Amino acid sequence: METLLKPTLYTSEGALLGGRCTCGHVFFPMQGHGCEVCGRHGADLQPMALTGRGKLLSSTVVHLHADKARATPFTIGKIALTDGPVVRTLLVDPVQQIAPGTEMVTALVPVGTGDDGSAILDLRFKPEH
Amino acid sequence: MARTLKDLRPVYVVGVGWHRYQNPSDTPYVTLGVTAIREALADARITWPSAESAYVATALLGMASGRPMLRHLGATGIPLSHVENASASGSTAFRQACIEVASGLTDVSLAVGVDKRNPVRRDSTGMDNLAEDAIAQFTHFSLLTNEYAHRHKVSFEDIARVAVKNHRNGAKNRNAQRQQERSLDEVLGGKKVAGSLTALQCTPIGEGAAAAIVASEDGIKRLGIDPGRAIRVIGSTARSERVYAAGLGFDAVLTKETTEIALQEAQVSPQDLDIIELHDAFTVEELHYIENIGLCPEGQGVHLLKDGALDIGGRCAVNPSGGLIAMGHPIGPTGIGQIGEITLQLRGEAGARQHPKARTGLAHMVGVGAVCYVHLLQRP
């Protein structure tokens, strides 16, 4: 048994739960407040599963963090998804140097154990090859 | 057709003042604020009852902090507004004061910024996020540093030279939080924060206050203010972030579009700028912004830096106050402190930091969220 830490943001297959406006703008995460490009809202915004693939724009190894619950070092990557949006989040390897332009893909990694003993998984990115 | 600030009646900075930016202390914010205001009044050689309105810039003091401070100057009953706009809070308050005077509603207005280093509180938008809790401001700018170094084949050591220059300037500024020169080795050898960023390449958020008094020509005449020390505000432009193409840094693009409008409205070219005070909370920002303001093509900023073109006495003095890295960044005061530094420089009153023959200055601020403010000042 496995549970996702943030099931509103991604699936167990590593797809990102984004959205698409009738104007063509693709965004992440899915939301109904309104489109950042044209302001349409409601039924004009439809859920769209994003592939979870993209190119690394930049990454950095973080040495210092105020929240002690998040141990350093860890690496933050900025990824331009194939579907359009740019996301920033943790990479799987905490200290790996990855060249900008590298093809990246989502991966689910265990980050804890639930009350029922099941693994809790969170989404990260890693180089595709 | 909407009009620009320059189309309205002329507005001038007539008084500037500070409480030194400093590490967090037990000093009440009231002390910080009234110190800066009294210094600005003394600088203008006017008294508090001459101020016809007040804008108080603060991001971290909480609700309605202005009246408990201003009442100690004498409660004259003038209109009082609080302005919160993240790092650009002070710039926004200054713009509002300028607009009010330029419009003719008042002749003399005060913008004062004051802050203590309290926790930042931002309410939830109702949307979840992947790992925003793991991405501090310095991590955002470390990502940009790595992108800049990779794209333009620039070394991290050269980017860090921004901090060497700005500490050198701050060492000559009695109002700076950091008043110590630092060698490149000291800057690079400090505590590592994220990627190549070290503590001395990041602004030390602290506390302090800055005040600026603006006045119309009628106000200057009526109060007997020395017109020879009045510095005209020839442009004020504000923009907020749009949706940009993937891979474009919003801080830089937003700076470019805001500055272009400001320069065009004031009919000033980037080559006319003698002084720039800009938002160098992190070293790479100074390079991004001078390039997007138009001092040089993208990726060429390091050459100007290494040639001394950005030094006091160089082609254009960038952050002669010490900037956010050395002067400091107490949030609410910062944008007003920039106006104060430019005013001193254009009057020729900047002492050991004086840039020769300074006539035109530009103040630039970005704020989380994201907003951008540009002001242009000129000696008549």
Side-chain angles (χ1 to χ4, degrees), chain B residues 42-88:
Chain B
D43 182 49
R45 292 166 197 149
I46 61 174
T47 55
W48 176 240
S50 300
E52 295 165 41
S53 67
Y55 292 89
V56 177
T58 176
L60 302 174
L61 293 181
M63 192 166 78
S65 49
R67 155 81 189 167
M69 172 175 76
L70 295 181
R71 73 189 187 97
H72 298 291
L73 298 163
T76 53
I78 59 172
L80 158 64
S81 308
H82 295 80
V83 177
E84 190 280 299
N85 215 1
S87 291

Side-chain angles (χ1 to χ4, degrees), chain B residues 191-211:
Chain B
K191 188 167 61 178
K192 277 196 175 309
V193 175
S196 64
L197 273 183
T198 50
L200 290 177
Q201 294 185 69
C202 306
T203 181
I205 303 283
E207 63 180 34

Side-chain angles (χ1 to χ4, degrees), chain B residues 205-243:
Chain B
I205 303 283
E207 63 180 34
I213 299 166
V214 293
S216 64
E217 287 174 355
D218 287 349
I220 288 171
K221 271 193 208 108
R222 178 160 51 81
L223 296 171
I225 293 170
D226 177 3
R229 292 176 70 243
I231 299 299
R232 184 162 175 197
V233 185
I234 58 169
S236 172
T237 303
R239 298 278 299 162
S240 62
E241 185 183 342
R242 297 181 296 122
V243 181

